[in-house]
Amino acid sequence: MTKIEKFVEKMKQKYGRNVVVKMRNCNEETLTQVPQPLVELYTYYDSIEFPFGRIDSMENAVKYSNTAEPFKSKGWFCFGFDGYFSFWLCSYSPDSEGLWITSWDHDMEDEIECVYLNLVEFLQDMEEEYEENREEEYL
């Protein structure tokens, strides 16, 4: 079982029906249009909804990334959204530190910079942030 499969299974166990998974529904040609860190994800899954955000289908992500600004002109692959303010982005090539992935709130930040090495690390952080904010709501 891959790291992404283990993470998705863990989230399904933790959040139950609040995690909606659609299995792969793409062709190999479309898979070549995805940045390397997301290939494993889209090899197994079409889209995933978590309580803390969603991963779009590969076809929608490719279409959006190739048409919407600033993703099109700045070379970012937009693969999801946190449901509030931030887009989930992956670069087509790593930065000087080998980082590929970030979240970006267009109202707060002009520059887009990679923060995460891989998708699972990114999703774990998004889930932790969600849990922290959820706990604060109950205080």
Side-chain angles (χ1 to χ4, degrees):
M1 187 177 274
T2 67
K3 288 182 180 180
I4 190 65
E5 289 175 299
K6 289 177 184 175
F7 178 81
V8 170
E9 286 305 311
K10 181 179 172 185
M11 294 298 99
K12 285 167 65 175
Q13 290 175 3
K14 184 172 184 176
Y15 296 108
R17 287 186 270 166
N18 291 324
V19 175
V20 179
V21 176
K22 291 186 181 175
M23 297 310 287
R24 181 178 175 198
N25 187 26
C26 70
N27 60 48
E28 292 299 318
E29 183 179 324
T30 308
L31 198 57
T32 64
Q33 300 176 49
V34 173
Q36 185 271 328
L38 301 178
V39 169
E40 183 179 289
L41 165 78
Y42 286 118
T43 297
Y44 297 101
Y45 304 104
D46 182 55
S47 62
I48 307 172
E49 290 186 34
F50 299 106
F52 50 90
R54 73 167 191 265
I55 295 174
D56 296 324
S57 71
M58 185 171 49
E59 283 79 8
N60 286 345
V62 167
K63 187 167 126 178
Y64 191 66
S65 299
N66 289 332
T67 59
E69 292 297 345
F71 315 124
K72 179 182 175 185
S73 63
K74 302 277 185 182
W76 288 95
F77 187 83
C78 183
F79 66 93
F81 184 66
D82 72 355
Y84 297 101
F85 310 107
S86 297
F87 294 99
W88 293 356
L89 307 177
C90 185
S91 178
Y92 285 95
S93 58
D95 68 9
S96 61
E97 297 177 31
L99 305 175
W100 297 81
I101 298 173
T102 193
S103 64
W104 178 68
D105 179 346
H106 63 85
D107 286 335
M108 300 294 287
E109 306 161 11
D110 289 332
E111 287 294 314
I112 305 172
E113 295 181 8
C114 294
V115 179
Y116 300 93
L117 180 63
N118 63 60
L119 180 62
V120 172
E121 177 185 318
F122 170 77
L123 292 173
Q124 287 172 333
D125 200 38
M126 295 299 102
E127 194 256 344
E128 286 175 23
E129 187 176 308
Y130 168 77
E131 285 297 328
E132 287 171 10
N133 291 332
R134 195 166 98 159
E135 289 172 10
E136 287 176 13
E137 288 178 15
Y138 294 112
L139 295 178

